Amino acid sequence: MKGWSWVSLERTKSSRTSLASKEKKKTIMGYWAAKTEALLRVCAILLLVLTACLVAMDAQTKLIVYTYAKKATFRDLNALPVLVYIDGVVAGYNLLQLSRCSVSACYKREIQSPLLKNLSWVHFLLDQVAVYIVFATTVASTQASLLAVTGSKAMQWMKLCNRYTRFCFQIGGALLCGYAACIVLALTSFLSAYNLFRLYSPTKFLQLKSKQ
């Protein structure tokens, strides 16, 4: 009986050690996931703000005929003000999310509550919306900006970039920053999906992992 008792005690100790090791590994993974998410959101905020500032502050005045001067601004294309507003809103959203994941990086715990699971769904869906809306507005702004490069006889739109060279180069740089922001937001969205779906059991459909 003593032999069986000793074996049972050893198995219990081994099981507890294994569970402790798993919990430690989950905590470390959660910490690094939150830290990576925070870094990605900082990069996204910087790129979005840079894009909005480059577009909103872009203006160039040229003398057309004698004393007649014309000023080119981002408001000359309807898509560019929308890009500024959207990038500002998404940057603000990521700033709020940054504060959340910064706290999570310090106090990381496994999410088990259905309420917090639903919040994770909200974060995931909002991240998806942010990626698509920023990408859509950046593409729309690119297409509209091409009119300034090529012009359009059908729309009676003259070329601008042959006169306002600096203005067009600055808009081009802003659009490149916008596409870089889209890539960073897509990576953030992938990480958000990982943080959500790792809460679910790999064997049971849409069921949270049970506490060990």
Side-chain angles (χ1 to χ4, degrees):
M1 291 294 293
K2 289 183 179 179
W4 281 107
S5 176
W6 180 81
V7 170
S8 177
L9 182 61
E10 286 297 318
R11 286 180 179 176
T12 303
K13 287 182 179 179
S14 176
S15 176
R16 287 178 180 176
T17 304
S18 177
L19 287 175
S21 177
K22 286 181 180 179
E23 287 299 321
K24 185 177 180 181
K25 188 179 293 186
K26 287 179 181 179
T27 303
I28 292 173
M29 287 179 64
Y31 168 77
W32 283 108
K35 196 171 182 178
T36 304
E37 183 182 353
L39 180 61
L40 287 173
R41 291 195 187 277
V42 168
C43 293
I45 291 169
L46 292 176
L47 287 169
L48 290 167
V49 171
L50 180 60
T51 301
C53 289
L54 284 174
V55 173
M57 299 173 69
D58 193 11
Q60 187 178 5
T61 304
K62 280 283 186 179
L63 190 66
I64 306 299
V65 179
Y66 299 112
T67 58
Y68 176 72
K70 182 173 176 57
K71 185 177 183 180
T73 68
F74 75 103
R75 296 188 184 278
D76 292 335
L77 293 173
N78 293 332
L80 294 179
V82 177
L83 178 67
V84 172
Y85 299 144
I86 291 295
D87 283 0
V89 170
V90 175
Y93 161 73
N94 277 278
L95 188 60
L96 292 175
Q97 289 283 39
L98 178 62
S99 61
R100 174 193 60 81
C101 61
S102 297
V103 173
S104 298
C106 297
Y107 307 101
K108 191 66 184 174
R109 295 226 178 11
E110 290 297 309
I111 300 176
Q112 300 291 343
S113 127
L115 175 61
L116 293 179
K117 177 206 70 173
N118 293 334
L119 288 176
S120 295
W121 271 107
V122 171
H123 298 155
F124 168 69
L125 294 175
L126 287 176
D127 284 341
Q128 293 286 317
V129 171
V131 175
Y132 288 120
I133 197 169
V134 170
F135 181 72
T137 51
T138 305
V139 170
S141 299
T142 303
Q143 291 178 335
S145 298
L146 286 176
L147 290 175
V149 179
T150 61
S152 176
K153 291 183 179 179
M155 299 176 64
Q156 297 182 347
W157 186 274
M158 68 176 186
K159 296 180 181 179
L160 291 177
C161 289
N162 57 344
R163 293 178 180 270
Y164 302 95
T165 308
R166 185 190 60 78
F167 173 81
C168 290
F169 273 114
Q170 187 165 327
I171 292 295
L175 291 174
L176 288 176
C177 291
Y179 284 113
C182 290
I183 294 172
V184 176
L185 288 172
L187 293 174
T188 306
S189 179
F190 291 147
L191 190 56
S192 181
Y194 164 76
N195 288 334
L196 171 64
F197 291 110
R198 74 189 183 89
L199 305 177
Y200 289 91
S201 170
T203 57
K204 297 179 181 179
F205 182 68
L206 287 182
Q207 184 172 334
L208 290 173
K209 291 178 180 177
S210 59
K211 291 184 179 181
Q212 299 281 326

